[in-house]
Amino acid sequence: MKKTSTRLADGRELIYYDSRDDTVRDAVDRRPLDRTVTTSEVRRDPLLGDAVAIASHRQGRIYHPPADECPLCPSEGDRLSEIPDSSYDVAVFENRFPSLAGDSGRCEVVCFTSNHDASFADLTEEQAGLVLEAWTDRTAELSHLPAVEQVFCFENRGAEIGVTLGHPHGQIYAYPFTTPRTALMLRSLAAHKEATGGENLFDAVLERELADERVVLETEHWVAFVPFSAHWPYEVHLYPRRRVPDLLGLDEGARTEFPKVYLELLRRFDRIFGEGEPPTPYISAWHQAPFGTLEEFDGVVREDFALHLELFTIRRTSGKLKFLAGSESGMNVFINDVPPETAAQRLREVASS
């Protein structure tokens, strides 16, 4: 992999990740852009103890542009985009309309391929492996920023999810705090460790799932399963068999095997609802240990956390979406219409379709 860092016309960083070491990236951003000005502010909710990012400048972000005006495609002739070069393998740049910026963290866009009409599932294993290298490198780099405590790599796919740019891409949020969801995991981890005299909760969960009927696929280095208490109609958790706190901890065997496993999961998601259905909308989210102190979680250290990916769709059946209504949005109590065992069986069935 070759990494090339440069700057866009307004000063934002752009990084190319190329599979060939002899690739040259010297294209200049020719757009007449002013310096990016953001108004991001993180506010604490005194009752819930969580944080909300206030980012009014995002109201002006690009919204469903036509394909020939996509800002994530390579620049070509007079059509200038966020990517000055005429082609790329993987490109990462600072978001022009970030939810977090400056002392409030950082937001980046990850373009998986220059092919506007592709999806992540269309990538080759080599391309998917390059994306994994980019995620890992960005996690390492962002962890060194003074304002950053946790790095979150994710992909939103589909208009139903709220995606406003059709080009295959994901994002990375670098938070200045430990996110509420991760904090819940850490508290459960600490409580279980104390109650069992040192047993790791993530290890116990994985052991239980391996012994049950919700495993979707397993390989030498990875296990994918529908969790016992899945929140979403179709939800898969992907764990490396060897517990590591973040992407940096994956060994060579897990890195080599990941593209094949992940691409297979994504392709199964697209086959869940049968032929002729539109692409399955999904969210794919990497959960990594925070880089900040864990003193508030008694007895827990970073190495206790288990890196894992959570992949889920909001489509519950053909033509119908799972909406977060009163119980989910008002009380954070999910109601799942699809039994996890049924979801796992369906995901196994579509393997050979």
Side-chain angles (χ1 to χ4, degrees), residues 6-282:
T6 184
R7 292 282 170 179
L8 296 173
D10 56 6
R12 288 175 295 129
E13 185 177 16
L14 164 67
I15 309 109
Y16 293 101
Y17 294 89
D18 289 291
S19 57
R20 290 176 56 97
D21 290 336
D22 59 353
T23 303
V24 176
R25 299 294 184 188
D26 56 7
V28 176
D29 185 3
R30 295 181 284 123
R31 296 173 298 172
L33 298 180
D34 294 328
R35 285 275 173 175
T36 301
V37 177
T38 65
T39 56
S40 297
E41 176 188 359
V42 174
R43 297 183 181 181
R44 295 281 180 176
D45 185 317
L47 295 180
L48 298 180
D50 59 8
V52 178
I54 309 298
S56 59
H57 62 277
R58 285 176 53 79
Q59 287 281 33
R61 67 188 185 274
I62 299 171
Y63 188 80
H64 293 297
D68 61 358
E69 296 179 16
C70 175
L72 306 185
C73 288
S75 294
E76 183 177 356
D78 293 331
R79 190 185 74 173
L80 306 179
S81 73
E82 294 279 61
I83 317 295
D85 215 321
S86 58
S87 67
Y88 64 86
D89 291 344
V90 175
V92 179
F93 60 86
E94 289 183 75
N95 198 320
R96 190 177 177 187
F97 303 94
S99 301
L100 306 165
D103 293 339
S104 297
R106 175 158 157 155
C107 293
E108 298 182 341
V109 177
V110 184
C111 299
F112 303 139
T113 171
S114 60
N115 184 353
H116 180 85
D117 297 317
S119 69
F120 201 116
D122 296 323
L123 301 183
T124 65
E125 290 184 23
E126 182 182 13
Q127 289 174 310
L130 187 59
V131 175
L132 176 62
E133 291 301 314
W135 283 332
T136 305
D137 181 73
R138 297 316 302 153
T139 296
E141 292 292 327
L142 293 171
S143 71
H144 295 309
L145 297 180
V148 173
E149 189 166 311
Q150 186 173 2
V151 179
F152 176 47
C153 307
F154 65 100
E155 179 192 2
N156 298 326
R157 193 264 197 122
E160 300 93 332
I161 297 293
V163 175
T164 57
L165 296 176
H167 195 103
H169 72 287
Q171 299 181 67
I172 301 176
Y173 276 22
Y175 298 100
F177 50 80
T178 297
T179 61
R181 186 175 177 86
T182 302
L184 285 174
M185 293 184 193
L186 291 169
R187 291 189 189 101
S188 297
L189 189 62
H192 185 84
K193 190 173 186 178
E194 181 179 6
T196 60
E199 182 183 67
N200 184 278
L201 179 58
F202 286 110
D203 293 349
V205 167
L206 185 56
E207 182 179 357
R208 173 185 177 180
E209 294 294 351
L210 280 168
D212 221 314
E213 58 182 314
R214 290 175 300 278
V215 172
V216 174
L217 64 86
E218 54 180 311
T219 63
E220 180 181 355
H221 298 281
W222 295 90
V223 178
F225 59 88
V226 178
F228 174 75
S229 54
H231 290 57
W232 300 95
Y234 289 90
E235 174 182 340
V236 173
H237 292 191
L238 178 62
Y239 277 67
R241 288 185 184 270
R242 184 178 70 87
R243 172 166 44 88
V244 294
D246 52 41
L247 289 166
L248 284 71
L250 292 175
D251 60 26
E252 189 60 32
R255 291 185 182 281
T256 300
E257 202 175 66
F258 171 78
K260 182 177 182 179
V261 174
Y262 186 50
L263 289 171
E264 174 63 20
L265 284 178
L266 293 181
R267 291 162 185 168
R268 291 191 194 190
F269 259 57
D270 273 341
R271 296 195 293 261
I272 295 173
F273 303 105
E275 295 294 331
E277 287 291 316
T280 301
Y282 65 73

